[in-house]
Amino acid sequence: MEKTFVMVKPDGVQRGLIGEVIARLERRGLKLAGAKFMRVGMELAETHYGIHKGKPFYEPLINYITSAPVMAMVWTGPNAVAAVRQTMGATRPTEAAPGSVRHDFGLEVGRNLTHASDSVENGEAEVALWFDESELVEWGRAIDEWVFE
Ligand code: DAT
Ligand code: MG
């Protein structure tokens, strides 16, 4: 089953939106496979956002993500990567679809509340970067057959 890495960023945590984000993913039918509330260190932040190194927003991005705790999670389900990206909305809150998290709670790209892996390949890499194998939980959910075809 596809896995994706999801993070409630420091602004989402500070604004009390951990539950809101989790509720939306649960309601959608996705299944939680791992979660930890943590402070992001410099090294992890730089590896995670390595692709953006050199861009003008890179430094503010690293400062933001390391500034306060985050909620790091792994969610699974069919098409989990695309489904979660859609639930979070486009990178810029003013371009995010109405009903998405970034639309409903955000205004600025540098305070866009959540992270979600953008491809199946990156999902696998980000899950491996943020979580040890032993931190992931595989479990049967009674309603699975009514959500997963
Ligand atoms: P996403 O988080 O939707 O995957 P991304 O990977 O392109 O977006 O960028 C990572 C984060 O960097 C994004 O959530 C917010 C910040 N960011 C991206 N583009 C930016 C820009 N043009 N100005 C300021 N911050 C930006
Ligand atoms: Mg991205």
Side-chain angles (χ1 to χ4, degrees):
M1 192 83 71
E2 204 169 294
K3 282 192 179 73
T4 187
F5 171 67
V6 182
M7 168 172 43
V8 180
K9 292 175 179 177
D11 50 337
V13 172
Q14 296 290 329
R15 291 176 58 189
L17 295 172
I18 295 174
E20 174 75 31
V21 172
I22 291 177
R24 286 176 178 225
L25 297 175
E26 281 189 313
R27 199 164 61 196
R28 187 121 194 227
L30 292 156
K31 191 154 104 175
L32 190 62
K36 53 185 173 185
F37 183 61
M38 60 184 283
R39 190 76 184 247
V40 184
M42 208 56 176
E43 200 182 314
L44 178 57
E46 287 179 349
T47 306
H48 177 74
Y49 282 127
I51 192 163
H52 296 301
K53 195 164 185 163
K55 295 181 186 169
F57 60 84
Y58 178 73
E59 254 184 58
L61 179 61
I62 297 295
N63 290 340
Y64 159 54
I65 214 71
T66 56
S67 64
V70 304
M71 186 68 178
M73 297 177 279
V74 178
W75 288 83
T76 64
N79 305 306
V81 168
V84 174
R85 288 288 289 189
Q86 184 184 38
T87 291
M88 297 314 163
T91 305
R92 292 180 181 279
T94 50
E95 291 167 8
S100 65
V101 168
R102 285 165 167 177
H103 168 280
D104 290 356
F105 299 100
L107 289 171
E108 296 222 80
V109 68
R111 296 288 183 273
N112 64 1
L113 301 151
T114 58
H115 168 86
S117 307
D118 64 3
S119 68
V120 175
E121 193 186 13
N122 286 341
E124 281 170 15
E126 290 177 356
V127 168
L129 173 66
W130 287 80
F131 284 82
D132 193 81
E133 192 66 48
S134 65
E135 295 173 312
L136 299 178
V137 182
E138 241 181 86
W139 55 295
R141 193 176 51 173
I143 60 145
D144 278 355
E145 66 174 300
W146 301 108
V147 183
F148 306 156
E149 190 181 349

